[in-house]
Amino acid sequence: MDTVALARRTGRRPNFSLAFKRQVVEATLQPGASVSLIAREHDVNANLVFRWRHQYQEGVFGVVSQSATLLPVQVMEAPIDLPHVVQPQAECHSEIAVEVGKAKLRIMGAPDPQTLQFVLQQLLR
């Protein structure tokens, strides 16, 4: 008889191992995964899995594996003769798409550098 079933019959809360929690959370982070279905498969409440996901992101279960690939960036000073405000071109058709887990961010056009820097910093937290 497994310890989860025994804990439920005796009225005590089950004490899940960090390895089990990490396994469940990482399964929910896969593209197309459903937290509710994975919670049911492991016989735990979906709200508990959402709490574990939050704890996982905070590093409670150890180092969080990052699936994002970061590209090298070179910061250069602008030449002195350029104005402080750069106007975007009228015919700009650029697009930036970032996917982290289930989160998707799509920026079309020409975002100002400060906003783009802020968004990227928040994604990397």
Side-chain angles (χ1 to χ4, degrees):
M1 176 176 297
D2 72 350
T3 58
V4 175
L6 179 62
R8 289 206 173 121
R9 270 197 301 134
T10 60
R12 294 183 300 144
R13 291 184 181 186
N15 187 14
F16 298 105
S17 69
L18 286 179
F20 176 78
K21 293 176 184 180
R22 178 184 287 273
Q23 174 191 352
V24 172
V25 169
E26 289 177 349
T28 68
L29 298 176
Q30 299 304 312
S34 165
V35 172
S36 297
L37 290 176
I38 292 170
R40 271 188 257 150
E41 289 173 4
H42 291 88
D43 199 27
V44 294
N45 186 290
N47 291 327
L48 183 60
V49 175
F50 281 111
R51 183 180 328 142
W52 291 348
R53 284 170 49 120
H54 182 71
Q55 292 171 340
Y56 179 88
Q57 294 296 337
E58 289 180 341
V60 173
F61 303 157
V63 178
V64 176
S65 61
Q66 295 290 332
S67 60
T69 302
L70 302 178
L71 301 176
V73 175
Q74 182 178 6
V75 179
M76 300 171 55
E77 289 188 33
I80 297 173
D81 59 343
L82 287 179
H84 291 288
V85 178
V86 177
Q87 296 296 325
Q89 297 175 354
E91 292 287 327
C92 184
H93 297 288
S94 66
E95 179 178 326
I96 300 171
V98 179
E99 293 186 30
V100 178
K102 287 180 141 181
K104 294 180 183 180
L105 170 68
R106 182 163 301 178
I107 301 172
M108 299 179 78
D112 67 279
Q114 292 83 12
T115 301
L116 186 57
Q117 181 180 11
F118 176 76
V119 169
L120 290 173
Q121 286 173 342
Q122 294 303 310
L123 284 172
L124 296 176
R125 286 178 42 188

